[in-house]
Amino acid sequence: PPDLADALPEALATPPSTSEEFPYLLISGARRLAGYNSWTHNIGPLMEMMKGNWATLHPSDAARIGADEGGRVRVTSAAGSLEIDVRLSPDVRPGVVVIHQ
């Protein structure tokens, strides 16, 4: 779409950044392996994997803030705050918090 194409250069020139108040980059809308294709939504065991929501952190970030796998953390952004379960993964870049949609 033209609007997207027009906005792209500015978005690339000013990537998201962290601040003292918000030291982590929050990524929402990540997709889960069990839900890549809508046809899998009719398979019971895969839908069990889709239940709930959690924040995925790099293990080093979790250690820094005292979070444990299966524990809970408070995630705060300029838009609001929530308490959510924690999952750890070395696949998430340090400094990033991933929450599924």
Side-chain angles (χ1 to χ4, degrees):
D3 291 346
L4 177 63
D6 292 345
L8 192 55
E10 182 180 349
L12 292 173
T14 56
S17 61
T18 60
S19 67
E20 190 173 317
E21 183 179 10
F22 303 113
Y24 294 93
L25 184 63
L26 175 61
I27 298 175
S28 63
R31 297 188 63 189
R32 300 176 188 174
L33 290 176
Y36 275 133
N37 298 302
S38 60
W39 64 267
T40 63
H41 296 178
N42 297 321
I43 301 172
L46 290 178
M47 292 315 309
E48 283 298 313
M49 294 171 61
M50 299 285 289
K51 284 187 176 178
N53 207 348
W54 54 85
T56 307
L57 309 170
H58 188 275
S60 65
D61 289 330
R64 186 172 23 267
I65 65 171
D68 296 314
E69 175 82 25
R72 292 189 59 86
V73 293
R74 176 169 294 281
V75 176
T76 301
S77 74
S81 180
L82 63 89
E83 284 193 23
I84 192 165
D85 291 343
V86 173
R87 300 240 176 124
L88 305 180
S89 174
D91 296 334
V92 174
R93 192 181 83 195
V96 174
V97 177
V98 179
I99 297 178
H100 298 90
Q101 56 182 354

